[in-house]
Amino acid sequence: MATPTPLDPCAPGAGADRCAPLTREPLSAEAAATLARRLKALADPARLRLLSLVAAHEGGEACACDLTEPLGLSQPTVSHHLKVLVEAGLLTRDKRGVWAYFALVPGALDALAAVLATPAAPAPR
């Protein structure tokens, strides 16, 4: 399972010094590679839908067995997309018997949003 670690420059809770907004300071090569991997994972419509299906599922987690029908894709294709999302640090995977359950990594989307955020424009006087 690929879960963000404190060494991950864009991990949730890594702190502003490790994953600052793009507009505040230039990204390090490591942070840029991590961010690019996560954005690439989200750039696929099927993976974006999977992330949404998991996040909106009751209890915030979903069994892989419940994700193939809504997407209209084969089980191996859905499993591949889920693996990409786990490796990108966006989903966690918990194996229970023969089934795998997936959930959003807490704070992963917030961390991405923080990196992409731009400062608010000053209020007009």
Side-chain angles (χ1 to χ4, degrees):
M1 172 178 12
T3 304
T5 66
L7 299 176
D8 182 339
C10 291
D17 59 325
R18 305 220 45 210
C19 205
L22 295 172
T23 56
R24 194 174 84 205
E25 65 185 56
L27 286 174
S28 68
E30 182 185 8
T34 299
L35 181 59
R37 188 177 76 249
R38 293 204 176 127
L39 292 175
K40 185 177 178 182
L42 288 175
D44 182 278
R47 289 193 284 266
L48 202 50
R49 288 197 60 215
L50 277 169
L51 197 70
S52 176
L53 286 165
V54 169
H57 204 269
E58 186 177 329
E61 71 173 4
C63 177
C65 60
D66 295 328
L67 300 171
T68 54
E69 186 179 328
L71 286 178
L73 298 173
S74 69
Q75 181 275 323
T77 300
V78 170
S79 291
H80 165 74
H81 287 308
L82 288 166
K83 180 181 176 186
V84 170
L85 291 166
V86 169
E87 289 174 349
L90 298 168
L91 290 180
T92 60
R93 180 181 184 272
D94 181 30
K95 183 100 164 131
R96 299 180 199 157
V98 297
W99 299 112
Y101 286 79
F102 296 86
L104 269 174
V105 170
L109 295 180
D110 293 332
L112 280 176
V115 173
L116 299 173
T118 57
R125 293 183 183 213

